[in-house]
Amino acid sequence: MINANRAYGKLHLILELIDRKDIRDQLDEEFTIEEQESIYQLFRTIMIDEINFVMQVKKGEKQSIANSKVMGKGKRMSH
């Protein structure tokens, strides 16, 4: 059972959610629990930055779509 109350448990849970048991096994073989907790903290910081980046990209896409719809309504078709 995964102990999600500890940082290394959260890392294991994330790897389980993305179906990467191979990486989880590698972590267990190569790193102590304390090292895994440090890896999780670094990973967490990176993921926060990545999620914020993806959200900004999606906002830009939505704004671009909205702008093109507005622009499309203002255009007249010429024959």
Side-chain angles (χ1 to χ4, degrees), residues 16-53:
E16 185 174 306
L17 289 170
I18 62 171
D19 294 323
R20 291 306 306 256
K21 186 178 181 318
D22 59 318
I23 296 174
R24 181 182 169 178
D25 291 344
Q26 185 178 359
L27 279 170
D28 288 340
E29 290 172 11
E30 297 180 20
F31 300 98
T32 66
I33 289 174
E34 291 79 19
E35 290 169 326
Q36 289 182 43
E37 296 215 356
S38 175
I39 290 168
Y40 170 76
Q41 294 304 329
L42 178 59
F43 177 74
R44 182 179 179 273
T45 301
I46 291 167
M47 288 307 301
I48 289 168
D49 291 342
E50 290 300 316
I51 289 168
N52 282 322
F53 172 75

